[in-house]
Amino acid sequence: MGKPTGFLEYERETAKVLPPKVRIANFKEFRTPLNKEKQKLQGARCMACGVPFCQSGMMIGGMASGCPLHNLVPETNDLVYTGNWKQAFLRLSKTHSFPEFTSRVCPALCEAACTCNLNGEPVSTKENERAIIETAYENGWVTPQIPEVRTGKSIAVIGSGPSGLAAAQQLNRRGHSVTVFERKDRVGGLLRYGIPNMKLDKAVVDRRIHLMEEEGVKFVTNVNVGKDIKAEELLKQFDRVILACGASNPRDIKVPGRDAKGIYFAVDFLGQVTKALLDSDFAKVPYELAKGKNVLVIGGGDTGNDCVGTSIRLGAKSVIQLEMMPKPPVERTPSNPWPQWPRVLKTDYGQEEAIAVFGHDPRVYQTTVTEFIKDKNGNVCQAKLTKLKSEKDAKTGRMMMVPVEGTEEVIPVDVVLIAAGFLGSEKYVTDAFKVAINGRTNVDTKPEQYQTSVDKVFTAGDMHRGQSLVVWAIREGREAAKAVDDPGGGGFGGDGCPGLPLRRFHRLPLRRRQRRRRRGGALPAHLLLPQLPGLCGHVHLRLLRHRGGGGMAGHGQLPAPVPGLPAALQPPAGAGPQSGPP
């Protein structure tokens, strides 16, 4: 917690934001964080909750409440309040792989579950998180975590989005050799081409990728697994494979005229814009995509909002955003109490910019497209819209949105961006690996597990749980890494050796780890060496080195010299037995 009375003494204050008409002039991030002293006061607002839902990450009312990563929010807020920035970074790093990403793009489930919501505004945990990680980078505390010894195990991660990167980071730090395959020309997946630069600066992504490369992770781009390289080849080359390809199958709008030119899936449009900017080092803006055109965005979620903001920056003549569902209430209803996720009206940056530029909210609720109309050249020129109403289905009893007769209207349209969500994994990938899928076309596993129906193949992220948030993808990647590293459930322990995951070794207090490294004979020999037949390599080979050079041989557990052990780690000739406890 922060200051016991801080939530009473200090008002919530967030980063300064550039005015909409100023920030639309470029694709740069437009939030200026608070200075350190003001940020400390925001940490002070964290109260002494009996039950801190902010870090719970549980499902309440069918939606997530609190951080899925179980970040130790009250503790990091307290460390921000007291100015212990390095300790705050170390504490945040215990549960989080990429705070620099979520502190920019996450909808802040932690803040929605904050107890301060009961009588005021929540603690600005998201911005505290950003201040922590950026301070850590500025002071050189974020350094490559290079494993001292490799286990001899290799893992292929298919997909370099947030889940793939999180899994690769964790497994590499445990000593395994990790190769990440990406079908695009740059690493990052959704982080690179699915989120606009003004929301997540790509230099922030590059900074983390370079750090992971220094740690030993290998990235291979422009390789489409399942097409450019066969699944069978990967399974022969690598000990384990993690499928983290995302929910890359966009939901289409199947109405007459769908084949008209000028209709794009939102993720393709956003990716095209970002690629043009990166290829030219931001010297060339692809104005030709939307300048002077009437843009119709279908979908009211985050991606739809990103399309609105991007279109405005490209000089769109007008922007309309369709939403099938009714307009949410401004405040919580009795059926949506805290700490459930608040189902209330939110106006994001793209909508704010549309209001400033066009004078009205771009969102049109309870409306859908029934037809696209083409001109003589096959380009979309109009869209036929109709209103919707909520009605109970007589067969299923479920509420459905159905068209209202007599409400049709035709509007001029030059560009259509479909941001209607995603249906699941792409068929060619799941077919290539022969993994089972569920009814939602996500890769099927047992509940709370990551092992697929195919031996040695795991899955994580949106490909596993369906379209979701970046923070959930990171959670999935970290959990999948644990499953791969675990002695049971299809992990490396399934190779016929009992194993001891590195995470268990690193949980030991620092002095105990140091003693084990020095004395060598701290663990049974069968846990030490991947080079020897039937032995498992989840613990540092440095355990063989201890005072006097006798290593494990001094305890009668391994002969000296050790067959198959690198020369640098062999005990010196004539080394006698060592006294003392193992």
Side-chain angles (χ1 to χ4, degrees), residues 9 54 117 152 165 217-218 302 359 445:
E9 298 177 31
C54 55
N117 281 302
L165 292 179
V217 177
K218 182 181 179 182
D302 289 341
T445 68

Side-chain angles (χ1 to χ4, degrees), residues 380-570:
V380 64
C381 63
Q382 291 179 319
K384 186 178 290 186
L385 311 181
T386 188
K387 292 293 184 182
L388 301 172
K389 65 178 180 180
S390 181
E391 192 174 278
K392 181 179 287 188
D393 186 279
K395 293 182 179 180
T396 65
R398 297 176 59 185
M399 299 304 294
M400 306 279 290
M401 299 301 294
V402 298
V404 179
E405 293 185 12
T407 60
E408 295 83 3
E409 65 171 319
V410 177
I411 62 171
V413 168
D414 302 302
V415 176
V416 177
L417 304 176
I418 301 175
F422 296 85
L423 295 175
S425 54
E426 292 185 277
K427 190 174 186 299
Y428 79 91
V429 179
T430 54
D431 285 351
F433 284 91
K434 298 180 175 60
V435 294
I437 58 175
N438 59 25
R440 300 173 60 199
T441 68
N442 301 323
V443 177
D444 195 30
T445 68
K446 293 180 181 179
E448 304 298 323
Q449 294 188 23
Y450 300 84
Q451 166 78 54
T452 70
S453 58
V454 176
D455 187 37
K456 300 184 179 181
V457 178
F458 293 73
T459 187
D462 290 2
M463 194 173 191
H464 180 220
R465 75 176 273 115
Q467 180 187 357
S468 192
L469 305 173
V470 170
V471 67
W472 274 110
I474 295 173
R475 155 82 178 267
E476 286 266 316
R478 291 174 65 95
E479 293 300 315
K482 290 180 183 178
V484 170
D485 192 47
D486 201 307
F492 286 131
D495 290 341
C497 52
L500 179 67
L502 281 177
R503 69 177 184 275
R504 284 177 55 191
F505 176 72
H506 286 297
R507 282 175 184 168
L508 296 175
L510 178 60
R511 290 186 178 180
R512 289 182 63 189
R513 279 185 275 154
Q514 290 172 336
R515 285 199 299 270
R516 287 185 177 226
R517 286 195 176 108
R518 286 197 300 266
R519 293 176 179 170
L523 296 169
H526 68 273
L527 301 182
L528 295 176
L529 300 176
Q531 289 92 340
L532 300 181
L535 303 185
C536 188
H538 290 277
V539 179
H540 290 293
L541 296 182
R542 282 189 59 192
L543 289 170
L544 288 170
R545 290 176 168 172
H546 77 71
R547 292 170 297 182
M552 298 290 286
H555 297 292
Q557 294 174 316
L558 282 178
V562 182
L565 188 64
L569 292 176
Q570 291 283 5

